Amino acid sequence: MTIQATTPAGGETAAPLKLTLYVAGQTPKSVAAIRNLERLCAEHLGPGRYQIDVVDLRSSPQLAREHNIVAIPTLVRQLPVPIQKIIGDLSDTQKVLVSLQLDTLA
C-alpha cells in the first residue's frame, strides 16, 4: 500500500521524503503506527513532500530478512540518505521527528 500526498498547488519541486513502514497485518500497534505516521507527515511536512509505502510482512515475510527488519512496526526513512529506522507505534511525535531528522527538513 502506498500513501502519497498530493502535489501542492504552488508546484513545489523538492524531492519527497520516502518512508517505508513495515507492519504485521491489522494489529493494534500496526494500525496505530500507520495513523500516527499519516498524522505526523500531514502536520509537519505537508502535501507533496512525502511518500509512504506500507509493507505487510504477513503477506511478504521474506522482506523482513531482505530489509533487515527485526521488530514491527518499523519505519524506515529511505530518502534522503542516510537511511534511518525507528521501531514502535510512532506515538512519540518528538522522538520520531528527531530520529528521522524530520524537524530539520520541515
Side-chain angles (χ1 to χ4, degrees):
M1 172 171 67
T2 299
I3 302 166
Q4 188 165 5
T6 58
T7 303
E12 193 170 305
T13 58
L17 185 73
K18 184 175 180 186
L19 303 169
T20 304
L21 180 63
Y22 295 90
V23 298
Q26 296 293 315
T27 64
K29 280 195 170 191
S30 295
V31 172
I34 293 169
R35 288 186 181 151
N36 287 332
L37 182 59
E38 289 175 342
R39 176 189 48 78
L40 189 146
C41 287
E43 291 176 359
H44 296 277
L45 293 173
R49 298 194 57 208
Y50 63 93
Q51 176 185 341
I52 302 170
D53 293 322
V54 178
V55 176
D56 186 351
L57 293 176
R58 288 179 63 183
S59 60
S60 304
Q62 76 282 1
L63 293 177
R65 177 175 287 210
E66 291 175 17
H67 297 175
N68 199 24
I69 303 300
V70 296
I72 47 176
T74 295
L75 176 65
V76 179
R77 185 184 78 176
Q78 305 287 343
L79 292 173
V81 292
I83 293 174
Q84 299 285 334
K85 292 182 180 179
I86 186 166
I87 296 170
D89 66 3
L90 311 175
S91 59
D92 188 337
T93 301
Q94 288 304 313
K95 181 179 175 183
V96 175
L97 290 174
V98 171
S99 296
L100 298 179
Q101 300 172 348
L102 295 180
D103 56 337
T104 61
L105 297 174

